[in-house]
Amino acid sequence: LARKGDVVVVTLNHRLNVLGFLDLSAFGKKYAASGNVGLLDLVAALQWVNKNIGNFGGDAGNVTIFGQSGGGGKVTTLLATPAARGLFHKAIVQSGSMLRTMEARWSRRIGAAVVEELGLNAGNIDDITNIPYNQLLAAGDKAVARVKAEAEKEGISSFIFGWAPTVDGSVLPAQPFDPQAPAQSKEIPMLIGTTLHEFCTSTYVPALRGISREKAEEQLRVRYGERTNDFLTAFEKAYPGSQPQDWLDTDFIFRPGAVAQGDLKAKQGGAPVYMYLFAWESPVMDGILRSTHCLEIPFVFNNVRRHASMTGGGEEAVALGEKMSSAWINFARTGNPNAESLPTWEPYTQEGGATMCFGQSCELRRHHDSELLEVVRSFPVRGF
């Protein structure tokens, strides 16, 4: 990507799990930000870029952050982190529109449970720095499981629960994109999208490959009940010529969140937001991966041949990688992803719903699946 686009690409590490998000803020001022040190590591990396990237040919005044899956959640969270304000100027969220994250009442309860598991208390809390990592991690896993069970009894059900940034009123003042997009990032252009199949069901359940219409409908009726026919009608409208396997494989966890994030961003009336859907299906292993979670990454980085084990490395895939990497480079440079090799890519709006579909061919579609998402949203699943 750097070679193709004359851009500087920076990757980074930061603290994760119990090391990054153990909230001990109930144990005194010293630990006030402890639930978000993993997030603060990201801020520190951005501060380093701001101070040093000029030495590598970069422009500290034109920084784009982008991430996939959990990385997309980190991008989403940084958009709402005051300490990161001014350190980046564009943002790309790939399959990770984490609209909400941990609440302090739960992260603090997990922190207290970890302390209890370790046999510590408020009087000797500083001894936690001497605990071996594996012991700390084991205590953390037990604490998260315990508190998650308590939360579910209270009706809390979340895809993200445990080791994640927490709304502490300081490092992270409010939920990133709930009930609104963060005001501090109003003028930051965004690029948001998902893959068509994400955690593709038939990849893991071979019996679903080539499933009959009747058996697929049986599974749909368990989920959608009396609205199964509405689902099927809307699905055919969104994806004409679809097969029964498609009804079960198509992602309805990541895509609704991405659209919701796009709606909230567009509603601000600030910098534009662009939406995409990656629908190209990998030919490897007889095509069982389909448009799986992570598959767009080698296309974005223009590493299609290097990652032939996922992409197949064929000419069609290489050509798509050229198009997508050009769009990402152009967006990083200007805030506009339009590229000569693509149809005109309009900004996403709630009214227009413009979405660039990357597949065997690339086309701009408008609210192609809005009726389908309306049906799906009436049966919410655990998501970001």
Side-chain angles (χ1 to χ4, degrees), residues 164-240:
T166 185
V167 179
D168 61 1
S170 177
V171 175
L172 188 60
Q175 292 291 355
F177 274 78
D178 186 10
Q180 59 195 9
Q184 74 174 58
S185 297
K186 180 179 178 180
E187 298 307 324
I188 293 182
M190 289 187 68
L191 178 59
I192 304 170
T194 60
T195 73
L196 181 59
H197 301 117
E198 297 289 0
F199 294 109
C200 181
T201 308
S202 69
T203 302
Y204 309 98
V205 186
L208 298 181
R209 300 169 202 162
I211 189 171
S212 69
R213 183 181 183 90
E214 292 73 24
K215 289 192 174 182
E217 283 191 19
E218 283 179 19
Q219 294 200 26
L220 291 177
R221 290 190 188 284
V222 171
R223 173 153 190 77
Y224 298 110
E226 294 180 354
R227 297 211 66 186
T228 299
N229 288 339
D230 294 339
F231 174 91
L232 290 170
T233 299
F235 200 102
E236 180 62 24
K237 183 175 180 179
Y239 303 106

Side-chain angles (χ1 to χ4, degrees), residues 128-304:
I128 199 167
T129 59
N130 300 320
I131 301 292
Y133 172 66
N134 286 338
Q135 185 181 344
L136 184 63
L137 185 64
D141 288 345
K142 289 181 182 178
V144 169
R146 194 166 96 199
V147 176
K148 186 175 184 179
E150 295 170 0
E152 289 178 345
K153 286 180 182 178
E154 295 185 29
I156 303 297
S157 181
S158 175
F159 189 75
I160 299 294
F161 191 94
W163 307 131
T166 185
V167 179
D168 61 1
S170 177
V171 175
L172 188 60
Q175 292 291 355
F177 274 78
D178 186 10
Q180 59 195 9
Q184 74 174 58
S185 297
K186 180 179 178 180
E187 298 307 324
I188 293 182
M190 289 187 68
L191 178 59
I192 304 170
T194 60
T195 73
L196 181 59
H197 301 117
E198 297 289 0
F199 294 109
C200 181
T201 308
S202 69
T203 302
Y204 309 98
V205 186
L208 298 181
R209 300 169 202 162
I211 189 171
S212 69
R213 183 181 183 90
E214 292 73 24
K215 289 192 174 182
E217 283 191 19
E218 283 179 19
Q219 294 200 26
L220 291 177
R221 290 190 188 284
V222 171
R223 173 153 190 77
Y224 298 110
E226 294 180 354
R227 297 211 66 186
T228 299
N229 288 339
D230 294 339
F231 174 91
L232 290 170
T233 299
F235 200 102
E236 180 62 24
K237 183 175 180 179
Y239 303 106
S242 61
Q243 300 300 309
Q245 180 181 337
D246 300 327
W247 308 338
L248 307 177
D249 280 347
T250 299
D251 162 64
F252 295 118
I253 295 177
F254 293 81
R255 170 82 176 146
V259 172
Q261 187 175 38
D263 286 341
L264 291 166
K265 176 63 177 173
K267 189 177 179 181
Q268 280 186 308
V273 55
Y274 295 87
M275 187 75 68
Y276 75 88
L277 180 63
F278 183 84
W280 187 87
E281 298 191 28
S282 172
V284 305
M285 294 190 288
D286 298 321
I288 67 170
L289 296 178
R290 307 204 74 184
S291 294
T292 191
H293 193 63
C294 299
L295 186 60
E296 88 284 6
I297 295 175
F299 293 83
V300 166
F301 280 97
N302 206 31
N303 277 335
V304 170

Side-chain angles (χ1 to χ4, degrees), residues 8-12 42-56 58-65 87-89:
V8 181
V9 180
V10 180
T11 63
L12 56 96
L42 300 176
V43 174
L46 286 169
Q47 290 170 337
W48 184 93
V49 167
N50 181 263
K51 186 181 296 184
N52 295 289
I53 204 65
N55 296 324
F56 298 86
D59 180 358
N62 190 11
V63 174
T64 298
I65 57 173
L87 296 176
F88 63 92
H89 312 90

Side-chain angles (χ1 to χ4, degrees), residues 21-25 35 102-112 147 161-162 164 166-167:
F21 303 103
L22 175 60
D23 187 352
L24 300 176
S25 57
M102 289 293 291
E103 296 179 2
R105 63 177 176 136
W106 298 113
S107 61
R108 286 175 182 164
R109 197 181 294 189
I110 291 170
V147 176
F161 191 94
T166 185
V167 179

